[in-house]
Amino acid sequence: MLVLNGNGTSGVAGATATRLLGRGYRSATATNAANDAYATSLVLYRPGWEHEAQRLAKDVGIKVVAALDGRPPAGSARDQLVLILGSN
């Protein structure tokens, strides 16, 4: 899973990735999103991963879950789930 900081707050992606690893997720790579002005946090998933995306969203308290369509976020080529942390 890729955890992207989309709100510009330093350390938020790393802290979230560490928390997810502590909850039993096998991988969580933290980095910055290309854009740091996301107003809303969201979970994106590749086809076949919707159930896991819903579980991740529930675990981190995010309401927006959507399929990855079009061009995926940079750095997510091998990840099935992408968590983008917005301002809320």
Side-chain angles (χ1 to χ4, degrees):
M1 156 190 353
L2 184 62
V3 181
L4 297 175
N5 180 348
N7 64 33
T9 303
S10 181
V12 71
T16 301
T18 299
R19 191 170 80 237
L20 290 169
L21 292 170
R23 290 191 68 134
Y25 286 86
R26 289 190 289 169
S27 73
T29 303
T31 192
N32 291 321
N35 178 350
D36 67 358
Y38 281 86
T40 302
S41 296
L42 63 146
V43 176
L44 303 173
Y45 63 91
R46 294 195 186 276
W49 287 79
E50 183 175 5
H51 178 74
E52 290 82 359
Q54 294 290 346
R55 182 181 76 128
L56 172 60
K58 182 180 176 184
D59 286 349
V60 293
I62 292 175
K63 296 178 183 174
V64 180
V65 178
L68 268 167
D69 58 353
R71 187 170 176 216
S76 67
R78 63 188 173 108
D79 296 294
Q80 305 303 325
L81 300 173
V82 178
L83 169 58
I84 301 176
L85 300 166
S87 297
N88 65 2

